[in-house]
Amino acid sequence: MSDTASISPKDDGPLLVSNGPGITDAQGVTADAKPVVALCRCGASANKPFCDGSHAAASFSSAPGSAKLRNTPIDYSGTVDGVPVTISYTPVLCTHAAQCQAKAASVFDPKAKPWVQPDGGKLTEIMDVMAACPSGALRVSVGDQEPQHLTTGEVSIRIEKDGPYHVTNVGLEAEFNGEGASRAKYSLCRCGLSNNKPFCDGSHYDAKWSDGS
């Protein structure tokens, strides 16, 4: 993890990124890095992803919502390629990026019960999903290993179209809600609707929020 890059959520205001990487937009274009960048998290800025002060007029509150959140993991176990595998899913951290369905539809199927069935796929597919999950909502235990996230060594802040900021290896000055949450990769709300601020909880998906891009 970077020793210098950090994100500080300001009360009722933006996400202040210090010494961070360039911001990568939804088209994959990365802007030049700057010493300090203020990123919108109220959803109202006319200059997204950057803050333009709209949070004040919008009476944005950075306080978490009052909705009851499922912040403890749900475990799904099976035998994969002859090895016991347990996938742990923490609902409050899920951003609905759907990388799990894209990479291993036979394991992750929202229409099935249970929706996660480890023995429906291959271990390589499951590990690909763990690496691709941007929010840290998914962890995996293989054999007698402790549950683990998979991530790369990159330092990045990526924007999902009509979705959150996906952050890798940037320190965050906030408490992490969600048992087993990863400090190496996490997703931050930018629509202003999350009940788990500063983290994304998928509210943009339910509200069909658009960033206007």
Side-chain angles (χ1 to χ4, degrees):
M1 184 173 294
S2 171
D3 293 331
T4 58
S6 66
I7 298 176
S8 176
K10 296 305 176 184
D11 289 345
D12 301 336
L15 298 166
L16 200 63
V17 182
S18 300
N19 302 311
I23 311 301
T24 302
D25 66 21
Q27 287 72 47
V29 178
T30 302
D32 292 337
K34 297 181 179 180
V36 179
V37 174
L39 297 179
C40 173
R41 64 169 174 150
C42 71
S45 174
N47 189 34
K48 298 181 186 70
F50 306 106
C51 173
D52 68 355
S54 294
H55 54 273
S59 300
F60 169 71
S61 172
S62 58
S66 59
K68 188 175 182 180
L69 303 174
R70 181 67 185 267
N71 58 10
T72 55
I74 305 169
D75 291 341
Y76 302 90
S77 299
T79 300
V80 184
D81 296 340
V83 182
V85 171
T86 297
I87 295 173
S88 296
Y89 168 64
T90 305
V92 72
L93 299 176
C94 184
T95 68
H96 303 302
Q99 289 296 316
C100 54
Q101 298 165 49
K103 294 183 176 295
S106 61
V107 177
F108 301 90
D109 182 359
K111 297 180 181 178
K113 291 187 178 181
W115 81 278
V116 181
Q117 300 184 31
D119 46 11
K122 299 180 182 296
L123 188 56
T124 53
E125 293 176 322
I126 292 172
M127 301 308 274
D128 283 347
V129 168
M130 296 302 118
C133 176
S135 67
L138 293 172
R139 295 181 296 162
V140 66
S141 175
V142 180
D144 58 0
Q145 293 178 345
E146 291 295 318
Q148 60 178 316
H149 300 280
L150 296 182
T151 188
T152 66
E154 70 171 344
V155 178
S156 64
I157 300 175
R158 296 179 294 107
I159 297 172
E160 178 182 322
K161 178 171 171 53
D162 302 332
Y165 301 105
H166 296 307
V167 184
T168 306
N169 293 316
V170 178
L172 179 66
E173 298 174 7
E175 292 186 9
F176 280 65
N177 181 32
E179 185 178 330
S182 171
R183 289 185 174 272
K185 64 175 181 178
Y186 52 87
S187 299
L188 299 176
C189 174
R190 71 183 184 106
C191 70
L193 303 174
S194 175
N195 285 293
N196 190 33
K197 298 183 187 78
F199 302 97
C200 171
D201 67 353
S203 290
H204 64 277
Y205 179 87
D206 298 329
K208 295 180 173 56
W209 180 74
S210 172
D211 58 18
S213 64

